[in-house]
Amino acid sequence: MFEELFHAPLSLRLHRMMPMTEERIQFLTHLKNQGYAHISLATRASLLLSVVDAVDVSQNESLSSSEIANRVEQWVRSKKFRNQALRCRMVTTLATQWVSFLGKLKNEVPGSELPPTHFDALGKYLNFLKNEKNAKSTTVVNNQRMVSDFLWWVTNTNIPLRSLTIQNLDEFIKFKGSKVARRSMATIVSVVKSFLIYCERNRICRKNLSIDLHGPRIFRFENLPLGPSWASVQKLLSAPNLKTDQGKRDRAILLLLAIYGLRSSEVVALKLEDIDWAGETVKVVRAKNGRQQVFPLTKEVGEAIILYLKEARPKKDCREIFLSLKAPFMPMVPSSLNTLTKKYYSQTKIQTPHRGPHSLRHACASNLINNDVSLKGIADQLGHVSMKSVRTYAKVDLKGLREVGEFDLGELA
């Protein structure tokens, strides 16, 4: 069975390097079935003995990702490897796969390792959002992450929730404010305030704590939409190397971001059945309101997706269109598109304040403005229900602003 995974000479070498139990052979077979190449399997086979030694999972034990990382780090330090950071990353990645294969990886959610009282308060707050506030799943997930971060800070300062003061909250804001931008800080404070209001009503913390909690003030429409010019977008779209699988995939993604102004989550959520080739349409489920929106499939976008599907997409039995480039070939996540766009901004040396995928959404809206599309049309294109979300684009309507500036006021001037 082991010989089926590797060429015979390689198999013999690995047998001499480490004992191949049936369980380990099944694990390597599992990796092979996920699409790992022979050379990758050989590397992981040689590392597997280190993994087994480092994590040492007992029969009835289950481990979290952080526990695995800690065990690996201690093991690497004890062995005094030359490049410890690299060895830690390699062994931790494979160890997590190994523990998951054994069925002993803990199902982790943000906050699951908090002290019981804090974890209980977090759980009750999230249930309140879901069951009483009817919050969207994305809102619940985001609030869970930010409140967990706040509760970890509270835990590390050794302050019980019931004893929190406004001075403590000021310290938290100062701590977080040094790490995140002003708008992000405003969002964090808003979520923490929501959590504290819930805690006050349920006597988990002292009353009136949330009243004096204020984040940085954000003015509506204070910033211009910060996207590249449409000429720069065209340069960006021509950057991927279509001779490679990555280039074929990345160009299709960049086109969807720029032509339709989609969000990252909307692009990675696209499934094979969302494209109607006969009707030449693409169906998008909007991330914020959950509504379906159908766009005409342009020739350029259609050809890019076909090229990717035919020549570059891994042969994986899943419905999502865009997959990772390496085994186990999982559907892409929204954060991976941030890395993708930054790569091509750097490659083309395009100067723009923001280099993430959302910058192409701004560029799409600005291009529509410059082509005399109404704000209502832009709102429809971007999937906004309210016109408030697109009013800021009026500030980049240079043609319209010039017409206002040239308007003759006559005797009123």
Side-chain angles (χ1 to χ4, degrees):
M1 183 176 182
F2 187 69
E3 282 72 13
E4 294 176 3
L5 292 176
F6 309 104
H7 302 299
L10 176 60
S11 148
L12 293 174
R13 290 201 304 273
L14 291 173
H15 269 301
R16 296 189 189 103
M17 290 166 55
M18 61 177 293
M20 270 295 159
T21 65
E22 185 65 25
E23 197 171 51
R24 295 169 195 172
I25 292 174
Q26 289 174 358
F27 173 63
L28 292 172
T29 305
H30 167 69
L31 294 182
K32 179 178 182 292
N33 293 336
Q34 288 188 312
Y36 284 88
H38 283 279
I39 188 64
S40 297
L41 290 170
T43 302
R44 283 159 177 77
S46 64
L47 270 177
L48 193 51
L49 189 60
S50 299
V51 165
V52 173
D53 191 19
V55 296
D56 189 24
V57 187
S58 62
Q59 186 174 0
N60 298 318
E61 187 179 21
S62 60
L63 298 174
S64 67
S65 297
S66 60
E67 289 170 334
I68 293 171
N70 289 335
R71 289 193 184 188
V72 169
E73 184 178 359
Q74 292 174 8
W75 179 83
V76 168
R77 285 179 179 176
S78 70
K79 299 298 181 183
K80 298 181 180 179
F81 290 107
R82 183 173 298 176
N83 192 336
Q84 293 197 354
L86 176 62
R87 179 70 61 163
C88 267
R89 287 198 300 271
M90 293 173 64
V91 177
T92 300
T93 299
L94 188 61
T96 304
Q97 291 177 311
W98 169 248
V99 174
S100 177
F101 173 76
L102 296 176
K104 296 181 178 181
L105 183 65
K106 289 180 181 177
N107 290 325
E108 295 178 282
V109 294
S112 58
E113 295 183 7
L114 287 167
T117 54
H118 292 177
F119 183 61
D120 182 60
L122 174 63
K124 290 177 178 177
Y125 168 67
L126 296 177
N127 286 332
F128 164 75
L129 290 180
K130 286 185 274 190
N131 301 329
E132 297 188 37
K133 301 292 286 185
N134 294 319
K136 297 174 185 174
S137 58
T138 51
T139 300
V140 174
V141 169
N142 289 333
N143 283 28
Q144 181 176 11
R145 175 175 51 81
M146 285 182 267
V147 173
S148 296
D149 190 42
F150 168 68
L151 289 174
W152 266 119
W153 182 86
V154 171
T155 301
N156 291 333
T157 54
N158 296 316
I159 304 171
L161 270 175
R162 291 186 180 277
S163 303
L164 276 178
T165 65
I166 190 61
Q167 288 77 20
N168 298 140
L169 297 180
D170 285 341
E171 290 172 11
F172 170 73
I173 292 174
K174 184 178 179 180
F175 168 75
K176 289 298 293 183
S178 64
K179 299 176 181 294
V180 300
R182 194 164 61 93
R183 281 186 172 273
S184 298
M185 191 66 235
T187 302
I188 292 170
V189 170
S190 175
V191 170
V192 170
K193 192 179 184 85
S194 165
F195 172 68
L196 291 175
I197 290 173
Y198 170 81
C199 289
E200 289 169 10
R201 290 173 180 171
N202 291 273
R203 300 180 181 179
I204 299 173
C205 69
R206 64 177 60 184
K207 289 185 177 182
N208 302 322
L209 189 60
S210 61
I211 293 177
D212 296 319
L213 179 61
H214 303 290
R217 188 172 182 181
I218 303 297
F219 297 93
R220 184 176 292 179
F221 312 133
E222 66 178 86
N223 292 325
L224 283 168
L226 299 175
S229 67
W230 198 244
S232 295
V233 170
Q234 297 304 308
K235 184 178 179 182
L236 196 73
L237 294 175
S238 64
N241 182 1
L242 296 185
K243 293 181 180 179
T244 66
D245 289 348
Q246 181 175 5
K248 292 166 187 172
R249 183 201 67 178
D250 291 355
R251 186 167 188 274
I253 290 173
L254 290 173
L255 281 166
L256 287 164
L257 292 169
I259 301 299
Y260 301 115
L262 301 184
R263 300 179 179 90
S264 297
S265 57
E266 294 164 350
V267 172
V268 299
L270 285 174
K271 294 182 171 55
L272 296 171
E273 55 268 26
D274 290 332
I275 303 207
D276 180 358
W277 298 106
E280 298 184 346
T281 61
V282 55
K283 180 178 67 179
V284 176
V285 178
R286 287 301 184 180
K288 292 202 172 180
N289 56 35
R291 297 180 181 178
Q292 291 186 354
Q293 191 167 356
V294 179
F295 294 96
L297 185 64
T298 68
K299 181 181 179 181
E300 188 177 22
V301 173
E303 288 177 349
I305 294 176
I306 288 174
L307 181 65
Y308 164 67
L309 293 177
K310 284 186 174 181
E311 300 183 12
R313 186 179 186 270
K315 302 297 185 281
K316 176 83 173 183
D317 186 21
C318 62
R319 306 309 298 168
E320 286 81 6
I321 293 177
F322 297 107
L323 307 180
S324 60
L325 296 168
K326 295 181 180 179
F329 305 122
M330 302 300 290
M332 296 182 72
V333 295
S335 59
S336 61
L337 269 59
N338 194 52
T339 304
L340 184 154
T341 54
K342 285 182 177 178
K343 169 188 173 181
Y344 292 109
Y345 273 123
S346 297
Q347 185 175 312
T348 53
K349 298 181 180 178
I350 294 172
Q351 299 300 318
T352 183
H354 296 305
R355 297 150 66 88
H358 213 74
S359 65
L360 295 177
R361 182 172 167 87
H362 288 315
C364 172
S366 298
N367 184 54
L368 293 173
I369 279 278
N370 292 333
N371 284 281
D372 298 325
V373 177
S374 67
L375 290 180
K376 176 64 168 64
I378 294 173
D380 292 340
Q381 171 82 12
L382 300 183
H384 289 300
V385 176
S386 171
M387 288 292 294
K388 293 179 181 178
S389 301
V390 296
R391 285 178 187 168
T392 185
Y393 291 106
K395 295 193 290 185
V396 297
D397 183 7
L398 299 182
K399 180 180 176 182
L401 290 173
R402 286 193 187 99
E403 290 177 358
V404 172
E406 292 171 358
F407 185 73
D408 185 7
L409 295 176
E411 296 179 355
L412 294 176

